[in-house]
Amino acid sequence: MKNNNPIKTLLEQKKHIVIDGALASELQRRGCNLNDSLWSAKVLIEQPELIQQVHYDYFVAGADCAITASYQATPMGFAKKGIELEESIKLIKTSVKLAQQAKMQYLNDIKQDKALLIAGSVGPYGAYLANGSEYTGDYQLSESEFIAFHKDRVTALIDANVDILACETMPSFLEIKALAKLIQQFPMVNCWFSLTLKDQQHISDGTPLAEAIEYLNSIEQIVSVGINCIALEKVTPALEVLSKLTNKPLIVYPNSGEQYDPTTKQWHKNHDHNCTFANQLDAWINLDAKLIGGCCQTTPKDIVEIHQLLNKK
């Protein structure tokens, strides 16, 4: 049985792949209170139909790929809320089903066949800690502890038939290596790894970006590498470094341009730059970004803009 690389297949049909935008902040805009350690995973329990609607709206906006609401959905996180393992696995699978239903609804509405991907979100251990450490990598576990933390969710996402795993917002090299080792237990599965950065030369825990990418380059199942959940103005300098380090398609989905304060859990306008998707996209494309979307605080409107700008290329 051949390992089918959905990113390669889609890039043979089109020059660029549009990733969706923020899920959690979009749910907040629609009235959800996410001030909770489960974050958007809380909505899987309370209002799953809203998640499906957000996925649908991103497909309408022009996204080729929806990322599931499983970033913070882990058995350990659910257990803290008194939810049993069996139920938490069901909730993780539900995150996939909601994206699949949104895809079917959209394809039914446009009455045409279109290749659309569902990426199963695998957030870092720092997301479970809910203390902002996905931006610092300031946590230590052994390789076996990292694998144990991720295994049930990864297995549930694969069982629910995601097209690809999105190992995203990864700040820790130890965790990256452990997660990659776990995914190699499922040789038919492809994934992307997108990292958070301390600066353009280092991932958040201080590991040189070159070292992390060299490791990821060695694993065939990792079919795209890049960055997400970083500030808009930091993307171009980071891509200048990244584009020299790998031949894998580069993925980039930054925040809206606002800065996150992990202490207050608030986003603030950053007036130190005038970067927008519109004025940065050409630079990213010239630096070989192939998968482009948005992370925190981005909206379907941003995805419409990215889709339209890429269509002109």
Side-chain angles (χ1 to χ4, degrees):
M1 194 175 166
K2 195 173 179 295
N3 180 323
N4 174 38
N5 175 350
I7 300 297
K8 183 170 182 275
T9 304
L10 201 45
L11 286 174
E12 283 165 358
Q13 297 170 31
K14 53 196 308 189
K15 285 188 198 166
H16 300 95
I17 295 171
V18 179
I19 307 294
D20 63 7
L23 182 65
S25 48
E26 193 57 28
L27 289 167
Q28 280 177 309
R29 275 189 197 92
R30 298 175 193 212
C32 298
N33 175 10
L34 301 188
N35 190 8
D36 189 278
S37 60
L38 285 178
W39 205 38
S40 58
K42 177 174 177 258
V43 188
L44 281 172
I45 303 164
E46 295 173 353
Q47 287 176 285
E49 69 286 349
L50 256 187
I51 292 174
Q52 183 173 331
Q53 185 60 50
V54 173
H55 285 316
Y56 176 83
D57 291 347
Y58 277 123
F59 283 133
V60 170
D64 301 303
C65 178
I67 301 176
T68 61
S70 52
Y71 176 80
Q72 218 136 330
T74 61
M76 276 174 75
F78 285 132
K80 275 187 177 175
K81 303 287 180 181
I83 296 166
E84 300 283 337
L85 177 62
E86 192 180 340
E87 181 60 21
S88 70
I89 297 297
K90 204 165 136 190
L91 286 165
I92 292 163
K93 289 181 177 179
T94 295
S95 76
V96 180
K97 195 190 293 179
L98 294 168
Q100 289 167 337
Q101 285 169 345
K103 171 182 163 178
M104 294 305 293
Q105 182 189 350
Y106 172 67
L107 290 175
N108 193 43
D109 286 353
I110 63 168
K111 307 255 183 307
Q112 65 185 74
D113 199 24
K114 193 177 174 187
L116 299 171
L117 302 180
I118 308 297
S121 176
V122 180
Y125 184 75
Y128 154 75
L129 295 174
N131 61 2
S133 57
E134 61 259 62
Y135 303 108
T136 62
D138 189 15
Y139 50 84
Q140 297 281 320
L141 292 181
S142 68
E143 182 183 87
S144 60
E145 286 170 327
F146 276 129
I147 288 174
F149 171 76
H150 285 292
K151 187 161 191 175
D152 285 332
R153 173 173 51 180
V154 164
T155 306
L157 291 169
I158 292 167
D159 286 348
N161 289 320
V162 291
D163 298 305
I164 190 165
L165 293 173
C167 302
E168 53 179 358
T169 328
M170 290 285 156
S172 155
F173 191 38
L174 282 173
E175 182 171 23
I176 287 164
K177 288 189 287 187
L179 187 50
K181 195 169 185 178
L182 167 63
I183 287 165
Q184 287 174 88
Q185 294 176 23
F186 304 91
M188 301 313 299
V189 173
N190 291 286
C191 59
W192 78 59
F193 270 74
S194 54
L195 319 179
T196 61
L197 302 182
K198 184 178 184 178
D199 55 49
Q200 68 205 62
Q201 299 278 359
H202 300 86
I203 68 172
S204 295
D205 71 355
T207 302
L209 185 57
E211 187 182 342
I213 298 298
E214 185 183 13
Y215 174 79
L216 295 172
N217 281 341
S218 68
I219 299 164
E220 197 181 336
Q221 282 170 267
I222 300 171
V223 296
S224 175
V225 295
I227 44 181
N228 78 293
C229 216
I230 73 166
L232 200 55
E233 74 275 15
K234 294 181 178 172
V235 174
T236 302
L239 281 176
E240 284 167 353
V241 176
L242 264 172
S243 60
K244 296 183 178 79
L245 297 175
T246 188
N247 293 321
K248 294 183 192 279
L250 289 174
I251 184 166
V252 52
Y253 48 117
N255 300 330
S256 63
E258 296 178 32
Q259 300 292 126
Y260 182 67
D261 181 337
T263 315
T264 62
K265 295 186 170 30
Q266 298 293 314
W267 289 88
H268 304 286
K269 289 276 182 213
N270 180 1
H271 299 291
D272 298 338
H273 71 87
N274 62 352
C275 293
T276 63
F277 284 107
N279 66 26
Q280 293 298 296
L281 208 63
D282 277 350
W284 301 351
I285 289 165
N286 290 337
L287 291 164
D288 279 341
K290 296 289 185 194
L291 296 85
I292 300 171
C295 206
C296 296
Q297 300 295 107
T298 57
T299 68
K301 214 179 275 185
D302 293 308
I303 300 310
V304 168
E305 183 178 31
I306 291 168
H307 173 70
Q308 288 174 344
L309 289 165
L310 289 174
N311 266 4
K312 291 175 187 166
K313 302 299 168 195

